[in-house]
Amino acid sequence: MQQVANNHEHGHAHDHEHGHEDHEQLKVLGFWIFLVTDCILFGSLFATYAVLMHSFAGGPTGKELFELPGVIASTFILLTSSFTSGLAILAMNKGKVKELIGWLVVTALLGLSFIGLEISEFTHLVHEGATMSTSAFWSAFFTLVGTHGLHVSVGLFWMVAIMIQLRRRGLTPVTRRKVTTLSLYWHFLDVVWIFLFTVVYLMGVM
């Protein structure tokens, strides 16, 4: 009788664990679906920008106002943050929670620097007379670049939330999944920025 009860308890625990794994896998799938919809969103914004990139309406052009040194600095910072988020994953795989949190802090600080430079750039452009209402080109520019910046900001809040969870709970299947999906999201933003840097800024100053 005791053996049957033990077997029943073991089976129940196994089912619970299996159900938890399925739940985690569903969340990962949900994240991939979110990334696909985000790709469609950015694809639409890039397409809109491509159509409107010469619609200056007599206002200033990107070639006149873009300051490449600042944009190159932003690019370097974001690429570095992508590298440090990769180091965070390596630390997680080794089970080193403190090191993982340390690399996430560095990644967040780099992301914050990127946002700071973007706000500085937008302020400069507005000061020079380029706003959302100046022309179709500047509307498309601010929408595309601003949407990416908003995504980075969301990533920063997400990162802080995960660091708090890691401090409280340590490494669990849930926190591991969250760190992994965050890292994928961050790399995705990095790839989008490379396209943005090439299409908007490099092509804009040619």
Side-chain angles (χ1 to χ4, degrees):
M1 191 75 181
Q2 181 67 36
Q3 183 66 35
V4 171
N6 286 343
N7 285 344
H8 179 73
E9 278 177 25
H10 179 73
H12 183 71
H14 179 74
D15 287 346
H16 178 72
E17 194 177 300
H18 188 66
H20 184 70
E21 278 178 20
D22 286 349
H23 188 59
E24 286 300 297
Q25 284 172 356
L26 268 177
K27 285 191 173 180
V28 172
L29 177 64
F31 172 75
W32 280 109
I33 292 167
F34 161 73
L35 267 196
V36 169
T37 57
D38 237 23
C39 282
I40 294 165
L41 168 68
F42 277 109
S44 304
L45 292 176
F46 272 109
T48 305
Y49 178 82
V51 171
L52 302 174
M53 65 190 299
H54 298 298
S55 305
F56 302 114
T61 67
K63 192 171 186 177
E64 288 166 0
L65 298 186
F66 288 157
E67 293 185 342
L68 270 189
V71 182
I72 289 167
S74 295
T75 304
F76 177 74
I77 286 168
L78 203 61
L79 287 172
T80 307
S81 76
S82 201
F83 175 68
T84 56
S85 91
L87 292 175
I89 291 289
L90 287 176
M92 181 182 76
N93 291 337
K94 290 176 186 172
K96 297 178 178 178
V97 183
K98 280 187 178 177
E99 196 177 312
L100 163 59
I101 292 171
W103 284 120
L104 286 177
V105 168
V106 174
T107 306
L109 289 173
L110 289 165
L112 205 58
S113 303
F114 174 84
I115 292 295
L117 282 172
E118 191 157 285
I119 291 168
S120 172
E121 181 199 21
F122 280 15
T123 306
H124 162 74
L125 291 172
V126 170
H127 183 70
E128 292 294 324
T131 66
M132 287 281 285
S133 57
T134 302
S135 65
F137 166 78
W138 288 110
S139 291
F141 168 83
F142 281 112
T143 305
L144 174 55
V145 180
T147 301
H148 179 269
L150 186 65
H151 275 70
V152 173
S153 300
V154 168
L156 289 174
F157 283 110
W158 187 7
M159 213 173 286
V160 171
I162 288 173
M163 283 189 270
I164 292 166
Q165 286 182 7
L166 284 166
R167 281 191 185 281
R168 287 179 181 169
R169 302 174 195 168
L171 279 174
T172 66
V174 175
T175 53
R176 280 178 180 273
R177 186 254 307 160
K178 287 181 177 178
V179 172
T180 304
T181 50
L182 172 68
S183 186
L184 285 169
Y185 175 78
W186 205 253
H187 290 313
F188 166 73
L189 293 182
D190 209 41
V191 171
V192 171
W193 179 258
I194 290 166
F195 277 104
L196 211 150
F197 174 68
T198 307
V199 173
V200 176
Y201 293 102
L202 288 185
M203 288 172 68
V205 297
M206 282 177 183

